[in-house]
Amino acid sequence: MLHFYIFAQMTMEESAIDGGTFGTAGVSKWTAVIASISMALFYVAILYSPTLILRLPPPDSFKSFMIRRFICAAISTVASLIACSLILPIELDASDLLSAYGIRADHFWQAAVFPLSLTALMYAGSLLEALLLLVSCQENQGDGRNILSTIPQRFVNSVFSMATNISAWRNYFVAPVTEELVFRACMIPLLLCGGFNTYTVVFLCPVFFSLAHLNHLLEYAQRRGNLLQAFMVAAFQLGYTVIFGSYASFLYIRTGHLVAPLVAHIFCNYMGLPAIVSRRSGLTTFAFLAGLLGFLWLLFPLTSPQLYNNRTDNCNCWHRYCSWN
């Protein structure tokens, strides 16, 4: 339903978005597509290079394994950023490069708070579930303190526990940062400057994003030894990454800020799938539906380009928000 809603909104604005101002700008469609596919494949392939190409011995621990992958992801990200800067019609100036990638200091708090609040609406059921669980735990433990007073302490404890957890570093830092840089900051400017219209980019970019997650099919099959289950898991993950990738691409193009999809990515990784139903309380479903309606109602107002930019004229081909009002 979310895809159809966004598609309808963007279709109504197609004539305004795809005018002559935003032409190919020296980047062909084939160049943009091939570069995007190459970046996606390289992002995955390099993860296996230490053992398959460099013939390094297997890591002696899970922590060493993850650190090795962090280094590979960083190399892939830097390579994509350099390749993108050479393909885009851009002067090799630090401010221009950062602007092309959506890395900006202006309107930072808006780019962090508004998209995060919007994304949280989709998790209204999950947040209610967490609150009910917290209340239940306090009642069972006979803790008479106000529940609101315990939340900051629990949050601090959670942050400290994640700081020493290598999986948390992957889920909440390395994966979101590298994936948003490659699949949003690099690919979207290429596709926009290649002449693709806005709604095509919103739904095309997640296809490349999904390619980077298909390696989990092989890894899952190796762990469980069940190819059918692996395909089912991969299909589910493919659908989820396409939906999230479309939303993240939408945020990036609408705001012109990389931090907007980044905070949404970190939050979604932390929360997992939204809770729709629960055995504990029927209020979970009600909260989810209310959050979904609020999300759809506020999707365009909270991502209005005017909230994140002082001006929307004299823009480059990758600044599609200039004509997306």
Side-chain angles (χ1 to χ4, degrees), residues 1-287:
M1 183 171 64
L2 174 59
H3 274 63
F4 287 117
Y5 176 81
I6 298 176
F7 182 84
Q9 290 285 341
M10 289 186 289
T11 302
M12 289 188 294
E13 298 167 355
E14 177 183 358
S15 60
I17 296 171
D18 301 316
T21 304
F22 300 97
T24 55
V27 180
S28 70
K29 287 188 176 182
W30 278 111
T31 299
V33 171
I34 292 173
S36 297
I37 293 175
S38 300
M39 290 177 188
L41 294 178
F42 185 56
Y43 186 89
V44 176
I46 196 173
L47 298 178
Y48 301 94
S49 62
T51 53
L52 296 181
I53 299 178
L54 300 179
R55 299 296 181 180
L56 297 178
D60 55 4
S61 65
F62 178 71
K63 183 176 181 179
S64 300
F65 172 75
M66 292 309 304
I67 291 176
R68 183 179 292 183
R69 286 207 158 184
F70 292 170
I71 295 173
C72 291
I75 293 173
S76 172
T77 302
V78 171
S80 295
L81 290 170
I82 294 174
C84 184
S85 68
L86 297 176
I87 298 173
L88 284 174
I90 185 173
E91 297 180 5
L92 294 181
D93 177 78
S95 60
D96 288 339
L97 277 173
L98 294 178
S99 173
Y101 298 139
I103 302 173
R104 298 159 42 191
D106 64 288
H107 297 80
F108 184 87
W109 77 265
Q110 292 96 327
V113 174
F114 292 156
L116 180 61
S117 302
L118 184 65
T119 307
L121 288 173
M122 288 295 296
Y123 288 89
S126 301
L127 295 173
L128 178 63
E129 272 288 291
L131 182 61
L132 293 176
L133 181 61
L134 182 60
V135 172
S136 176
C137 289
Q138 283 200 310
E139 290 177 350
N140 293 335
Q141 295 173 2
D143 193 340
R145 291 180 297 171
N146 187 321
I147 187 172
L148 294 178
S149 66
T150 65
I151 292 179
Q153 183 62 41
R154 288 174 180 268
F155 176 77
V156 172
N157 293 339
S158 176
V159 170
F160 276 107
S161 65
M162 288 190 296
T164 57
N165 187 329
I166 195 69
S167 294
W169 277 93
R170 175 193 59 190
N171 296 332
Y172 311 134
F173 181 74
V174 177
V177 170
T178 57
E179 288 179 1
E180 292 306 318
L181 282 170
V182 173
F183 296 95
R184 244 65 67 183
C186 289
M187 291 187 186
I188 289 180
L190 284 173
L191 294 171
L192 290 176
C193 291
F196 289 96
N197 56 46
T198 310
Y199 59 84
T200 299
V201 175
V202 167
F203 296 114
L204 177 60
C205 195
V207 175
F208 304 129
F209 183 57
S210 303
L211 293 176
H213 293 79
L214 289 180
N215 62 308
H216 298 305
L217 170 64
L218 178 61
E219 295 178 353
Y220 187 89
Q222 289 176 338
R223 290 198 307 267
R224 300 297 179 90
N226 190 320
L227 191 58
L228 179 60
Q229 282 188 355
F231 271 112
M232 293 176 62
V233 171
F236 177 80
Q237 189 172 46
L238 180 66
Y240 179 78
T241 53
V242 167
I243 293 173
F244 173 77
S246 298
Y247 175 57
S249 299
F250 174 85
L251 288 177
Y252 180 80
I253 299 175
R254 287 279 287 179
T255 66
H257 254 286
L258 182 64
V259 72
L262 180 61
V263 295
H265 196 153
I266 295 172
F267 183 77
C268 289
N269 278 6
Y270 180 79
M271 295 297 296
L273 292 175
I276 300 176
V277 296
S278 173
R279 296 178 181 178
R280 295 173 54 87
S281 173
L283 289 176
T284 300
T285 301
F286 176 80

